[in-house]
Amino acid sequence: MTHTDIEITAELVRELLLDHHPDLADRPLSLGALGWDNQVWRLGDDLAVRLPWATESADELLRKEYAWLPDLAPDLPLPVPVPQRLSEPAERFPRPWIVTTWVPGTPADRAPVTRATEAADALAAFLTALHRPAPAGAPIGRGRGGRLADGAEFFTEQLTSATERGLIPDPNAVRAVWEDAAAAPDWAGPPVWLHGDLHPANILTADGTFCGVIDFGDLCAGDPACDLAASWILLPDGAADRFHGGYRPAADAATLRRARGWAVGRALSGILIGDAGVHGRPGGKATWGPPAHAALRRLVATAR
């Protein structure tokens, strides 16, 4: 993570609104979240301001959301943050930023699903609607949605790091899940739209089930297995089969094998980020650890 040199405060956000969108500047303003790429400031009841702050790539990701998400959002059965306005870099803040709709709910890393059936059905309906063939010119994922086997080196680094920290009780079992997934036939269908980053901090819950999906910075076209990993990452024990039964078109065996590989990789990342949060290391988020450990246990247990 590379934090911007400019301190983002409520005063700065208010000044930016006065400069770029004076009709919105008198709305109540409060910090909503410190994301991996962006800060999110709630603006009134129904809007939010997203400003890049922690990665160099955030500018490009915000522009991508602004370009593509408004066309996708109307067909999605769960609320998503729809970009409304794009502000170009200026002297006061030399990076682009956007105003989006606000999606109410609590991230699932802090409020996990408790109504498994409803959540599985909601996730299946959402990904069924999203996973339609993407047009020519759709963005390519940054390590998402391509060949799973291309990530072998990164997987090995993650597994080694987690094992050396004593976070993985059976690294051989984890590697076996990955190797089976990486050996599965590649996706032969057309590239479909992907969220690309479905983990518990990017999906919202209310009343025990999913109520919204946020952070489409990794929106891209590719292999649906990348997103289908979410059934093991987001749902409670025993709910993956319900999800797979509702997702259309039904995923074939090879796609489900690849999805398990994507899920293992995402779980390892969550475990390492969670551990960093527990020990106060940069980029750490302690709440990411428990759901990632639970996902990895599910993946290893079902493989056996």
Side-chain angles (χ1 to χ4, degrees), residues 77-95:
L78 287 174
V80 302
V82 184
Q84 304 292 301
R85 305 185 189 184
L86 172 68
S87 297
E88 294 294 345
E91 183 177 356
R92 200 186 297 272
F93 190 75
R95 305 184 71 174

Side-chain angles (χ1 to χ4, degrees), residues 227-240:
D227 277 356
L228 296 181
S231 63
W232 291 283
I233 295 295
L234 298 174
L235 296 172
D237 292 354

Side-chain angles (χ1 to χ4, degrees), residues 278-303:
V278 169
H279 293 94
R281 296 193 297 272
K285 297 176 182 290
T287 56
W288 288 31
H293 280 287
L296 197 62
R297 287 195 297 269
R298 281 192 288 272
L299 287 156
V300 170
T302 54

Side-chain angles (χ1 to χ4, degrees), residues 74-303:
D75 296 323
L76 300 178
L78 287 174
V80 302
V82 184
Q84 304 292 301
R85 305 185 189 184
L86 172 68
S87 297
E88 294 294 345
E91 183 177 356
R92 200 186 297 272
F93 190 75
R95 305 184 71 174
W97 52 280
I98 61 175
V99 177
T100 76
T101 55
W102 172 263
V103 181
T106 304
D109 60 319
R110 288 185 271 145
V113 162
T114 55
R115 295 162 56 197
T117 296
E118 292 88 342
D121 291 348
L123 184 62
F126 178 82
L127 289 181
T128 294
L130 177 62
H131 287 176
R132 58 180 190 255
I140 297 173
R142 47 174 188 171
R144 319 289 171 95
R147 293 183 68 248
L148 177 67
D150 291 344
E153 182 177 354
F154 183 65
F155 166 79
T156 299
E157 291 174 357
Q158 297 269 86
L159 179 59
T160 299
S161 179
T163 302
E164 289 175 347
R165 294 183 181 279
L167 302 172
I168 307 297
D170 191 349
N172 290 332
V174 175
R175 183 175 294 280
V177 176
W178 164 266
E179 289 179 347
D180 175 74
D186 292 335
W187 174 245
V192 301
W193 279 117
L194 306 174
H195 178 280
D197 201 22
L198 288 174
H199 57 72
N202 282 345
I203 191 160
L204 305 178
T205 66
D207 299 323
T209 188
F210 299 133
C211 66
V213 180
I214 59 175
D215 196 348
F216 282 75
D218 280 297
L219 182 73
C220 63
D223 178 1
C226 178
D227 277 356
L228 296 181
S231 63
W232 291 283
I233 295 295
L234 298 174
L235 296 172
D237 292 354
D241 287 346
R242 173 83 182 197
F243 165 83
H244 296 142
Y247 175 77
R248 293 291 181 272
D252 60 23
T255 299
L256 293 180
R257 287 170 63 192
R258 295 192 307 278
R260 292 171 60 82
W262 285 106
V264 164
R266 198 152 292 154
L268 286 175
S269 293
I271 287 170
L272 288 167
I273 292 169
D275 183 65
V278 169
H279 293 94
R281 296 193 297 272
K285 297 176 182 290
T287 56
W288 288 31
H293 280 287
L296 197 62
R297 287 195 297 269
R298 281 192 288 272
L299 287 156
V300 170
T302 54

